[in-house]
Amino acid sequence: GPGEVVTAALDVADAEAVAAMVHETHARQGALDYLFNNAGVGVFGETENIALADWNRLLDINLRGVVHGIVAAYPLMIAQGRGHIVNTASIAGLCPSPGLVAYAASKHAVVGLSTSLRGEAHAHGVRVSAVCPGLISTGIFEAAKTPDMDMDVSLALMRRSGIRPYPAERCARDILRGVRANRAIIHVTWFSRVASWCYRHFPGLIDWTYPFIVR
């Protein structure tokens, strides 16, 4: 009913579990208006130090988790003629991100998936958006695998440079505003907007900044 919240533990890398949850929700509510694919993990550091197992775990969650949600929910939304799929990507999905290569690969894939599906879904009355935040206070950096990086030092450097984690509650409100406006790309934080603008208009700038990013 109105205001009802039902929670469940879920491994988004498990396609059958995702499908079961989506179909149970649809059956219980009689419709599926929104799907937010938001689960994500980080693996940061120089690429030569990242093991294949870490690549696979990251892609299973960050990319295949999104695919599993779409495969389960999109046909239901087509059948009902409405719905909105919201996939959390990152500013790392719009700009080159040295030191975050595996993470950026997954997020570029989510952006491409979302913007391409948006073109198909429009004919069915279904909307699709990609969320591209900057640094959000979610704990993803603290929980990330970092084979050759000291994240405490990196986070301290970001804070000293004026880049501070954006509150998760404000991020959620920004996302919902973007969903209401049906934006294809929902930027969250000034850093996301500025970084994507700079890369779009001055793509060579990343080559100049690379030594400072990975230092």
Side-chain angles (χ1 to χ4, degrees), residues 164-182:
R164 288 178 169 77
Y166 194 68
E169 288 186 4
R170 289 182 63 187
C171 175
R173 288 195 294 269
D174 291 348
I175 291 170
L176 292 177
R177 280 194 291 270
V179 168
R180 282 196 294 271
N182 188 26

Side-chain angles (χ1 to χ4, degrees), residues 175-195:
I175 291 170
L176 292 177
R177 280 194 291 270
V179 168
R180 282 196 294 271
N182 188 26
R183 296 191 188 115
I185 301 293
I186 301 172
H187 290 284
V188 180
T189 74
W190 65 267
F191 179 78
S192 175
R193 292 181 180 86
V194 170

Side-chain angles (χ1 to χ4, degrees), residues 36-57:
F36 290 84
N37 285 309
N38 188 58
V41 295
V43 178
F44 308 138
E46 292 291 338
T47 305
E48 67 267 26
N49 298 320
I50 298 175
L52 179 60
D54 293 329
W55 272 95
N56 287 336
R57 175 176 177 270

Side-chain angles (χ1 to χ4, degrees), residues 15 18 29 31 44 49 70 108 136 170 187 190 207-208 210:
V18 172
Q29 301 295 337
F44 308 138
N49 298 320
I70 290 170
H108 269 76
I136 309 298
R170 289 182 63 187
H187 290 284
W190 65 267
D207 296 329
W208 181 81
Y210 174 76

